[in-house]
Amino acid sequence: MANIATFRFLLLWTLFLCFAFTTRAAQRGPYGMHISCGARHDVQTKPTTTLWYKDFGYTGGIPTNASTTSYIAPPLKTLRYFPFSEGLSNCYNINRVPKGRYSIRIFFGLVAHTTVTDEPLFDISIQGTQIYSLKSGWTTQDDQAFTEAQVFLKDGSVSICFHGTGHGDPAILSIEILQIDDKAYYFGPDWSQGVMLRTVKRLSCGFGQSKFGVDYGADPRGGDRYWQHIKTFGGDSDHQRSVETRIKQASHPPNFYPETLYRSALVSTSSQPDLTYTLDVDPNKNYSVWLHFAEIDNSVTAAGQRVFDIMINGDVAFRNVDVVKMSGDRYSALVLNKTVTVNGRTLTVTLSPIKGSFAIISAIEILEVITAEAKTLSDEVMALQTLKKALGLPPRFGWNGDPCVPQQHPWTGADCRLDKSSSKWVIDGLGLGNQGLKGYLPNDISRLHNLQILNLSGNGIRGAIPSPLGTITSLQVLDLSYNFFNGSIPESLGQLTSLQRLNLNGNFLSGRVPATLGGRLLHGASFNFTDNAGLCGIPGLPTCGPHLSAGAKVGIGLGASFTFLLLIIGSVCWWKRRQNILRVQQIAARAAPYAKARTQFSRDIQMARHNNNNNYGNAHTASENGPILLSR
């Protein structure tokens, strides 16, 4: 029984934890990141109490004080700008962003103490796709103080880049990354993860004021959209209508439009029955048009009393629109969407009455449909990043973001082509000649498998030519002339069967030119090895001495090392022997006085013995003469 009770307790506890975790996740809501560019500390702004995170570790550029250009811009005091010396392309790279669809909004600003005449004009890209180019006069129009796009993120990060165009330094006030419903603004079969939607215009028609979604009390899953208020389409063509009645079906997934949006509207008049709105747009692009309606006019009480057609640039997009019938009731929201191609420079929406009362409309959204660019092969991006560090490329090169996209702003010196098999961009040319580069050429250069032309001539690059360079079989032109390369020419370069031009002149190379390269000269290739004092082995260069194999060179090296070792050992032995001799001589010198005295004493004894012998004749005792030897 105790075991059963324990099991029930654990089961109930597990269910409780799961419920608590799920509830907490639901309460947490969609991901949101607000960055106050240039800020050193987190900032909270009124009246929405939005928390703006400090700008730390995302990018280069220079933080400074800001001067905002529009009342709709967040009340932030700093920005980050990117002078020409920082390069033409600079990026914010933000990691740990959950997979999903996001609304990304970027506000621009002016460096403090500048005037609107100094407004910078630059391009903006997200995930390598250019979404917007600032136009002259943006500082005087509220809805051009920012740009906004909807993007699907799946790699756990987002790259937002700013590209200088020679018209001032890009200056960024804030960046917002707001997660929205994964199917937001679904506009048909072409809608996919590979499509971005840039906000061109978002209008709230009739009574009211320009507001953000948060001011309307909108659901966060719809994003914090900015609705620009418009009182009239022009002249006496329309009248305003508004109600306080609650609107049904207003905040439904996937777009979650605020209910307040449908409580006001514009209605056409008898003097001009057609209700027409015209917007200037960029030509030869696709636009997704979203039209919002709610029947709030007291004169219409049932279906069939207001019917109208909707035309976009003269073509009928929707016929016989009956708001009451299509939405199901009065005071009920209706959203219609049509995607069109615009060849000219204007987009015109016309509501033309067919039956009953005049046309009515509550809001309009126009979004540009942008096909997301393919990215550069990740292996080649990493190879270029390694090359950037090894050569010490200065910031002016602007090697930030993706090397090949947006196509309008590739990396300086990089030539790209789209590889159809992988649907990725690859690097097929790298021209960095005469750029004052230093450092060395890393082995990772071999990861540029599609490289056809490599020109690094006229720089200060040092070190050896990396042997892995010979694995880039597509290489046709290799120019490393007038650098400080040393060592021998790698044998692997002879494997480059596509190589047509090889310039290694003006370096400090030595040794024999590989025979495989010398043989290529007979096949029309153009090679230049001059101005390398140590090279030999082909016509035009000095004749090489006896050729030694690699094994022989190793043997000679080992023999020389062994001989040197013997010389050292012999020298040590000679030195020790010499030290021993010197030590003996020193000892003998110290003992000399004692030895002399002892010699004199022995001599005195012998003289005394000689005198005694003279006194007793020549007789000697047996003991003195020793034993007598007997013989037969």
Side-chain angles (χ1 to χ4, degrees), residues 14-159:
T14 302
L15 291 175
F16 170 76
L17 290 177
C18 291
F19 174 76
F21 177 79
T22 304
T23 303
R24 184 179 178 184
Q27 291 175 347
R28 189 163 53 238
Y31 174 93
M33 169 70 77
H34 306 262
I35 300 174
S36 174
C37 299
R40 298 179 182 273
H41 306 282
D42 293 347
V43 180
Q44 199 166 29
T45 56
K46 297 179 180 180
T48 58
T49 65
T50 301
L51 177 62
W52 298 85
Y53 292 101
K54 62 183 178 181
D55 185 1
F56 175 76
Y58 294 116
T59 184
I62 300 175
T64 188
N65 293 330
S67 174
T68 56
T69 61
S70 170
Y71 78 96
I72 70 169
L76 302 172
K77 297 180 180 180
T78 62
L79 57 71
R80 184 175 292 273
Y81 76 100
F82 303 94
F84 177 77
S85 59
E86 295 281 331
L88 291 178
S89 295
N90 290 273
C91 305
Y92 273 76
N93 297 302
I94 302 167
N95 299 317
R96 295 188 295 276
V97 180
K99 178 181 178 181
R101 185 168 288 276
Y102 288 83
S103 175
I104 298 177
R105 183 165 57 220
I106 302 142
F107 269 94
F108 323 124
L110 293 176
V111 174
H113 310 303
T114 59
T115 63
V116 294
T117 57
D118 299 320
E119 61 180 12
L121 305 179
F122 52 94
D123 296 342
I124 298 172
S125 67
I126 299 176
Q127 299 294 82
T129 299
Q130 184 161 312
I131 63 163
Y132 189 59
S133 298
L134 272 73
K135 297 177 176 61
S136 180
W138 64 265
T139 53
T140 61
Q141 301 186 47
D142 291 331
D143 65 341
Q144 291 189 23
F146 69 93
T147 191
E148 176 186 74
Q150 295 184 21
V151 183
F152 191 89
L153 303 177
K154 58 182 179 180
D155 299 328
S157 64
V158 58
S159 176

Side-chain angles (χ1 to χ4, degrees), residues 428-431 450-455 474-478 501:
D428 65 355
L430 202 56
N450 300 279
L451 202 60
Q452 297 180 10
I453 299 174
L454 177 59
N455 178 12
S474 59
L475 206 57
Q476 299 175 13
V477 176
L478 177 59
R501 189 166 79 246

Side-chain angles (χ1 to χ4, degrees), residues 416-471:
C416 306
R417 67 175 175 85
L418 187 63
D419 180 50
K420 295 182 180 179
S421 61
S422 64
S423 297
K424 298 283 188 179
W425 290 93
V426 296
I427 311 298
D428 65 355
L430 202 56
L432 296 173
N434 300 298
Q435 296 294 333
L437 305 180
K438 297 181 180 180
Y440 65 96
L441 193 57
N443 289 334
D444 270 12
I445 190 72
S446 63
R447 298 169 71 178
L448 299 175
H449 303 295
N450 300 279
L451 202 60
Q452 297 180 10
I453 299 174
L454 177 59
N455 178 12
L456 298 174
S457 63
N459 289 294
I461 305 173
R462 300 177 179 274
I465 298 174
S467 180
L469 196 61
T471 63

Side-chain angles (χ1 to χ4, degrees), residues 163-244:
H163 311 277
T165 60
H167 301 281
D169 301 327
I172 311 302
L173 182 71
S174 66
I175 295 175
E176 296 170 89
I177 305 170
L178 308 175
Q179 189 174 16
I180 58 177
D181 192 280
D182 284 348
K183 291 188 177 296
Y185 289 97
Y186 180 88
F187 60 88
D190 294 332
W191 182 93
S192 69
Q193 294 183 10
V195 169
M196 297 182 180
L197 296 175
R198 180 183 71 85
T199 303
V200 178
K201 186 68 71 172
R202 188 173 279 123
L203 299 176
S204 172
C205 304
F207 289 101
Q209 296 179 343
S210 298
K211 290 184 179 181
F212 285 93
V214 64
D215 300 318
Y216 278 124
D219 192 301
R221 278 289 178 183
D224 190 17
R225 290 165 285 196
Y226 172 69
W227 298 91
Q228 182 183 8
H229 174 63
I230 185 170
K231 295 181 178 180
T232 178
F233 288 164
D236 296 327
S237 63
D238 48 43
H239 291 309
Q240 303 174 39
R241 297 285 189 275
S242 67
V243 295
E244 296 297 326

Side-chain angles (χ1 to χ4, degrees), residues 15 86 90 219-220 246 331 335 357-358 363 366 373 392 407-408 413 476 478 513 541 545 630:
L15 291 175
E86 295 281 331
N90 290 273
D219 192 301
R246 189 181 182 98
Y331 308 113
V335 182
S357 299
F358 304 112
I366 299 174
E373 291 269 18
Q407 296 181 53
Q408 301 90 332
Q476 299 175 13
L478 177 59
V513 175
L541 296 178
L630 299 177

